[in-house]
Amino acid sequence: MTHLQAGLSVETLEKAKVELKENPETLHQDIQEVRDMIITRPDIGFLRTDDAFILRFLRARKFNHFEAFRLLAQYFEYRQQNLDMFKNLKATDPGIKQALKDGFPGVLSNLDRYGRKILVLFAANWDQSRYTFVDILRAILLSLESMIEDPELQVNGFILIIDWSNFTFKQASKLTPSMLRLAIEGLQ
């Protein structure tokens, strides 16, 4: 076990080995292979390339180096293309604060039976007079950024449940195709 796997439960270490093909013997080599691909994309500003950060992407793509790099590149491309989304991405930002207060997203304290974190959104709770859809998206992205720091969640994952019941036409009219595309690209 390497220092990058420290803190993982025995069950999660086994899951990482079996389901994600994570091998402590080759972990640093796997990370370096992804890091070496960065030079192939000089158009992207890779702001973070430390071992722990790259490991997230390897886990997300079951240690397929090329797919992990592709995801890493997409992550930074999205951030570069949507600079306003990431300005002041803090829980103290007024729009984000209000969205989080209203449960966008709600994060359940218990995990599901697979060890995944559960996020819940009740779409009908969106009060358009207090914050925008972009504020909700920013609150979700901030929550995901925070949660993905946890190595247990990197291995086990999370699920997002959206309840669309009682979502009104007035609320739906605020969702433009470009906003929906922004959300889908950001969550992928």
Side-chain angles (χ1 to χ4, degrees), residues 140-164:
I140 293 168
L141 292 173
L142 176 65
S143 298
L144 293 174
E145 287 281 340
S146 175
M147 288 189 309
I148 205 68
E149 292 284 333
D150 181 352
E152 288 277 333
L153 285 181
Q154 291 171 18
V155 174
N156 294 317
F158 62 89
I159 58 172
L160 174 63
I161 301 169
I162 303 175
D163 179 355
W164 291 101

Side-chain angles (χ1 to χ4, degrees), residues 103-122:
F104 288 101
V107 181
L108 302 184
S109 56
N110 293 332
L111 304 174
D112 75 356
R113 66 181 179 190
Y114 302 109
R116 299 178 298 193
K117 194 60 124 169
I118 305 167
L119 288 82
V120 182
L121 293 171
F122 294 95

Side-chain angles (χ1 to χ4, degrees), residues 39-103:
I39 62 168
T40 67
R41 293 295 309 269
D43 57 312
I44 298 174
F46 292 91
L47 301 176
R48 206 175 150 194
T49 59
D50 57 276
D51 289 357
F53 190 74
I54 291 175
L55 180 56
R56 294 180 196 180
F57 295 90
L58 280 163
R59 285 175 171 157
R61 293 298 180 253
K62 298 185 179 187
F63 280 75
N64 177 315
H65 301 141
F66 177 75
E67 290 300 320
F69 173 71
R70 221 171 99 193
L71 184 61
L72 177 68
Q74 287 173 329
Y75 172 86
F76 283 114
E77 267 184 316
Y78 182 80
R79 290 182 72 102
Q80 281 176 209
Q81 292 169 355
N82 301 288
L83 292 174
D84 288 344
M85 290 275 296
F86 295 94
K87 271 188 198 160
N88 196 31
L89 190 67
K90 298 177 183 163
T92 55
D93 175 87
I96 292 174
K97 186 176 185 175
Q98 193 58 56
L100 288 170
K101 191 175 178 182
D102 282 2

Side-chain angles (χ1 to χ4, degrees), residues 95 98-99 102-104 121-137 163-176 179-180:
Q98 193 58 56
D102 282 2
F104 288 101
L121 293 171
F122 294 95
N125 288 354
W126 175 23
D127 184 346
Q128 300 165 341
S129 67
R130 297 189 312 184
Y131 48 91
T132 67
F133 178 74
V134 172
D135 290 325
I136 292 171
L137 180 56
D163 179 355
W164 291 101
S165 61
N166 301 317
F167 190 67
T168 67
F169 180 76
K170 181 181 176 187
Q171 290 169 311
S173 68
K174 299 290 184 183
L175 300 177
T176 66
M179 281 185 187
L180 293 172

Side-chain angles (χ1 to χ4, degrees), residues 1-9 13 16 22-24 27 55 59:
M1 180 169 68
T2 73
H3 74 282
L4 293 167
Q5 295 177 310
L8 291 177
S9 68
L13 282 169
E22 185 169 324
N23 180 349
L27 197 56
L55 180 56
R59 285 175 171 157

